[in-house]
């Protein structure tokens, strides 16, 4: 088994998970963490395999072969690009950048340097959505024709952060909804044909961008995807020792569900109920019979694996690289989702349908 040194750039909320996963990977020897904030690295004081380093140090150190980028979005191209140009393999957080030009430049660099590069759409590694995909691929619901996604959450980004300050009107589409639009691509196994999106006046006054998005998409064959997103409805989280988090959030305004409707059945994923179910349709003499035939639930200890499986994604990607395999979500593939996000933003700005062939994309 080949072991190598690795680095994580950006040790904030998400970087923390990347650090933990890298330390748990059997392929990683030493781990370097790059972050201008000294407080961040203090978290791992006493961890002998982890050292703080500068960007220059990790780029010129030939023993560092794998770099994870978890900095704010406007730095992704700079950091992932520099790493690939120095011959490193890269796992970069989504979105690929704040603009499509940045995303295209990342594709160009990956191609030119022939690097291993994976973009972190980790929901594709989450059990909840892997089960849905497995049922779809096994033909259990027939052909997927309509996907409804509902996402209601609390405002949790806070005032005066890079997230709330970002001025792009569709910032949250790339920052938050890219995961959920990516899953529509994953389940349909296709790219969008056209998008129509609208946003109502916002309620989160300190956000420089829209706080809600309603995105309706057509996919090849007349298939339809819908995503409804509202930030602020879910009750603000206050730890309550008597109530487990999702048990409370399942009925306080939070919602995160897919209804994936096929020609012979349907699938529902529901994060706040920790559940995935499958319906089967059959023709009866008088009507269409629909019945729930399969239900999978999971326990709080499995939240990470079932829901936002960044940890599992990282272990899998480190292994792909160590074994000389290709990335499972390269920049070109991820660009399909980036384009989808920007088409939705353009549609909101124009008040018109935006087609995949639009020359502005
Ligand atoms: N995949 C997911 O589910 C998921 C979830 C949350 C965030 N993210 C992504 O992860 C990235 C980071 O988000 P976050 O929530 O951790 O943000 P954060 O603000 O908590 O952390 C960002 C970190 O980057 C550091 N940083 C800033 N400039 C830097 C530089 N020049 N060099 C090195 N470090 C620098 C900051 O000091 C901070 O520690 C974003 O791209 C975000 O979209 C992904």
């Amino acid at each position: 088994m080949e072991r190598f040194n690795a680095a994580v750039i950006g040790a904030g909320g998400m970087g923390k998970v990347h650090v933990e996963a890298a330390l748990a990977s059997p392929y990683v020897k030493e781990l370097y963490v790059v972050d201008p904030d000294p407080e961040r690295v203090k978290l791992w004081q006493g961890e002998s395999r982890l050292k703080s380093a500068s960007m220059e140090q990790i780029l010129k150190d030939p023993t560092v072969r794998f770099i994870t980028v978890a900095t704010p979005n406007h730095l992704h191209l700079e950091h992932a690009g520099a790493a690939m140009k120095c011959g490193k393999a890269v796992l970069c957080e989504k979105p690929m950048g704040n603009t499509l030009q940045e995303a295209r430049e990342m594709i160009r660099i990956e191609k030119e340097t022939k690097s291993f590069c994976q973009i972190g759409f980790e929901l594709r590694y989450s059990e909840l959505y892997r089960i849905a995909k497995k049922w779809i691929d096994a033909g259990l619901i027939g052909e997927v024709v309509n996907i409804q996604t509902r996402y209601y959450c609390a405002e949790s980004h806070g005032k005066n952060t890079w997230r709330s300050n970002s001025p792009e009107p569709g910032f949250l589409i790339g920052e938050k909804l890219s995961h959920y639009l990516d899953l529509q691509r994953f389940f349909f196994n296709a790219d969008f044909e056209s998008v129509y999106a609208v946003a109502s006046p916002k309620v989160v006054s300190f956000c420089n961008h829209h706080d809600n998005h309603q995105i309706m998409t057509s996919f090849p064959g007349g298939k339809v995807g819908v995503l409804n997103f509202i930030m602020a409805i879910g009750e603000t989280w206050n730890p309550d020792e008597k109530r487990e988090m999702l048990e409370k959030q399942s009925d306080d305004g939070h919602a995160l569900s897919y209804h994936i409707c096929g020609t012979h059945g349907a699938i529902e994923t529901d994060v706040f109920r920790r559940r995935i179910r499958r319906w089967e349709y059959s023709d009866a003499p008088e009507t269409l019979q629909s019945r729930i035939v399969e239900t999978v639930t999971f326990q709080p200890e499995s939240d990470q694996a079932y829901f936002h499986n960044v940890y599992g994604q990282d272990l899998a990607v480190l292994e792909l690289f160590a074994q000389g395999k290709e990335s499972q979500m390269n920049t070109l593939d991820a660009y399909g989702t980036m384009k989808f996000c920007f088409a939705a933003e353009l549609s909101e700005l124009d008040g018109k349908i935006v087609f995949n062939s639009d020359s502005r994309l």
Side-chain angles (χ1 to χ4, degrees):
M1 182 175 71
E2 195 198 357
R3 293 178 81 221
F4 46 84
N5 291 345
V8 174
I9 313 176
M14 197 36 58
K16 232 185 314 180
V17 184
H18 291 299
V19 167
E20 301 298 339
L23 287 173
S25 167
Y27 298 99
V28 174
K29 269 196 289 199
E30 307 263 306
L31 184 68
Y32 296 92
V33 173
V34 180
D35 198 300
D37 180 350
E39 290 303 308
R40 303 283 190 179
V41 185
K42 278 191 190 155
L43 270 180
W44 297 282
Q45 258 171 2
E47 170 54 71
S48 61
R49 287 166 56 216
L50 185 144
K51 292 188 184 67
S52 171
S54 70
M55 193 69 192
E56 294 67 36
Q57 282 169 326
I58 59 161
L59 289 181
K60 71 173 191 227
D61 181 346
T63 70
V64 174
R65 296 187 48 211
F66 189 101
I67 293 184
T68 302
V69 176
T71 44
N73 304 352
H74 66 280
L75 295 169
H76 288 182
L77 172 62
E78 181 185 325
H79 292 150
M84 285 192 274
K85 285 178 186 169
C86 289
K88 318 292 185 191
V90 167
L91 168 59
C92 181
E93 268 298 349
K94 47 41 73 179
M96 289 163 75
N98 274 345
T99 65
L100 277 184
Q101 287 87 324
E102 288 174 12
R104 280 194 290 266
E105 179 59 8
M106 215 189 271
I107 296 174
R108 194 192 65 72
I109 297 171
E110 187 205 59
K111 215 162 147 192
E112 190 179 276
T113 58
K114 298 189 175 60
S115 301
F116 176 104
C117 184
Q118 172 126 356
I119 305 300
F121 282 111
E122 89 283 343
L123 291 189
R124 291 191 182 212
Y125 292 82
S126 298
E127 269 312 299
L128 194 59
Y129 305 118
R130 280 170 98 98
I131 292 172
K133 181 69 170 163
K134 195 173 77 186
W135 287 350
I136 291 167
D137 289 348
L140 298 182
I141 61 167
E143 196 176 351
V144 178
V145 290
N146 193 318
I147 300 178
Q148 303 283 321
T149 313
R150 191 161 62 127
Y151 184 13
Y152 299 166
C153 60
E155 200 299 309
S156 56
H157 294 160
K159 293 186 183 176
N160 204 23
T161 62
W162 61 270
R163 283 188 173 88
S164 52
N165 292 343
S166 178
E168 294 86 18
F171 174 78
L172 285 182
I173 304 179
E175 169 54 18
K176 234 172 160 54
L177 305 185
S178 53
H179 282 301
Y180 302 100
L181 294 177
D182 183 60
L183 281 185
Q184 292 190 356
R185 289 181 70 219
F186 185 50
F187 295 144
F188 277 130
N189 202 17
D191 277 311
F192 78 97
E193 278 189 346
S194 66
V195 179
Y196 180 64
V198 287
S200 56
K202 66 188 170 89
V203 298
V204 183
S205 60
F206 57 84
C207 272
N208 277 344
H209 41 72
H210 292 305
D211 57 12
N212 69 95
H213 298 279
Q214 330 305 312
I215 303 171
M216 189 182 287
T217 309
S218 86
F219 285 86
K223 298 168 185 179
V224 170
V226 173
L227 188 154
N228 285 315
F229 169 69
I230 297 180
M231 186 162 75
I233 289 184
E235 272 197 346
T236 303
W237 174 242
N238 277 316
D240 175 351
E241 277 177 15
K242 288 187 238 70
R243 292 190 80 185
E244 191 275 318
M245 184 170 78
L246 288 204
E247 181 209 330
K248 173 178 186 312
Q249 291 185 336
S250 64
D251 197 27
D252 75 356
H254 283 84
L256 182 41
S257 64
Y258 279 81
H259 287 91
I260 307 164
C261 304
T263 47
H264 302 315
I267 296 167
E268 174 199 62
T269 64
D270 192 328
V271 165
F272 290 100
R273 292 194 171 89
R274 291 195 176 94
R275 186 177 72 194
I276 174 166
R277 302 192 286 182
R278 180 166 68 82
W279 283 253
E280 204 167 77
Y281 303 153
S282 57
D283 271 337
E286 303 285 324
T287 183
L288 179 85
Q289 292 280 334
S290 167
R291 65 197 176 97
I292 295 170
V293 291
E294 203 167 350
T295 301
V296 177
T297 55
F298 54 101
Q299 298 303 313
E301 337 39 290
S302 304
D303 280 353
Q304 178 183 268
Y306 270 80
F307 178 31
H308 259 298
N309 196 11
V310 174
Y311 189 86
Q313 162 197 264
D314 289 15
L315 291 179
V317 174
L318 282 159
E319 179 158 296
L320 284 175
F321 171 67
Q323 297 183 343
K325 295 185 181 155
E326 289 191 357
S327 120
Q328 285 174 336
M329 175 51 112
N330 65 18
T331 54
L332 195 61
D333 190 2
Y335 188 72
T337 298
M338 299 308 302
K339 213 173 158 186
F340 192 175
C341 295
F342 281 92
E345 184 186 43
L346 267 183
S347 173
E348 284 182 3
L349 292 170
D350 280 9
K352 291 188 181 138
I353 295 173
V354 171
F355 292 87
N356 197 322
S357 55
D358 194 305
S359 59
R360 293 168 298 173
L361 294 174

